[in-house]
Amino acid sequence: MTPVSLLLLPGLDGTGRLFDPFLRILPERFTPLVVSYPVDVAMSYDETVDFVFRHIPRDTRYVVLGESYSGPVALGLAARYPSIVQAVVLCSTFI
């Protein structure tokens, strides 16, 4: 099976720790990357999209999972950078 790069964007807590149980059962086919947001800086959605883009390798395509707060971030990433976003999964999000 072809490996899948899975970019996990956290909800309101911004840490990505809530993905831990999911990561423990994630099949080996998936290569996860969790991007945590800074806790000491307030960012707009556009600034958060920029932050994520700066913190990921750009030599691969991602399935992006946007949870809660990050649903709009995932869609913004896909709209701005379609060459690196293969698919978007929205999970309990504001969008």
Side-chain angles (χ1 to χ4, degrees), residues 26-76:
L26 191 66
E28 290 182 14
R29 174 177 180 224
F30 294 92
T31 305
L33 173 60
V34 178
V35 174
S36 298
Y37 303 140
V39 296
D40 58 343
V41 177
M43 295 186 292
S44 68
Y45 278 121
D46 285 339
E47 291 168 328
T48 307
V49 170
D50 292 338
F51 178 86
V52 170
F53 187 70
R54 287 192 312 271
H55 288 86
I56 61 172
R58 292 188 263 321
D59 59 348
T60 189
R61 289 180 50 94
Y62 297 94
V63 171
V64 181
L65 188 150
E67 190 260 331
S68 181
Y69 166 84
S70 289
V73 178
L75 292 178

